[in-house]
Amino acid sequence: SRKLILMDEPSTGLDDNMLRELERIVDTLASRGAGILVSTHDPRLLMDLADRAYSVEGGRLVERDPVDLAIEMYRVAGVRFE
């Protein structure tokens, strides 16, 4: 049977080195067949790890492109792209 791992805000408080280590661990688990569900406000995780992303919009769960959602999250945080 397939294993499902739920991670709730796993990157909170991590520096860049530890974030890379988290990404390595997640990649390893996924390559071994684990399903991984991550709840995050960290756009870096979306851009680096996600093959699918969902957001809650108007009380509904909506599938989104991970990179598009990450860019939107950066913009909401005030990061400018030029």
Side-chain angles (χ1 to χ4, degrees):
S1 75
R2 187 169 184 185
K3 303 290 184 193
L4 177 64
I5 299 168
L6 173 60
M7 297 180 168
D8 184 21
E9 300 290 349
S11 61
T12 300
L14 298 183
D15 63 19
D16 288 340
N17 288 333
M18 291 307 298
L19 180 64
R20 282 191 294 278
E21 179 66 11
L22 172 66
E23 291 170 350
R24 186 192 64 74
I25 291 167
V26 169
D27 282 339
T28 299
L29 292 168
S31 72
R32 293 180 181 168
I36 302 170
L37 179 62
V38 178
S39 170
T40 187
H41 288 92
D42 189 339
R44 298 172 301 173
L45 289 181
L46 286 171
M47 295 186 76
D48 293 340
L49 291 177
D51 56 341
R52 284 184 246 162
Y54 300 88
S55 63
V56 178
E57 299 174 15
R60 300 185 80 114
L61 192 61
V62 178
E63 186 170 9
R64 304 276 306 273
D65 175 78
V67 174
D68 290 344
L69 183 55
I71 291 169
E72 182 179 320
M73 291 168 76
Y74 277 123
R75 285 193 175 129
V76 167
V79 174
R80 292 180 167 268
F81 295 95
E82 297 184 28

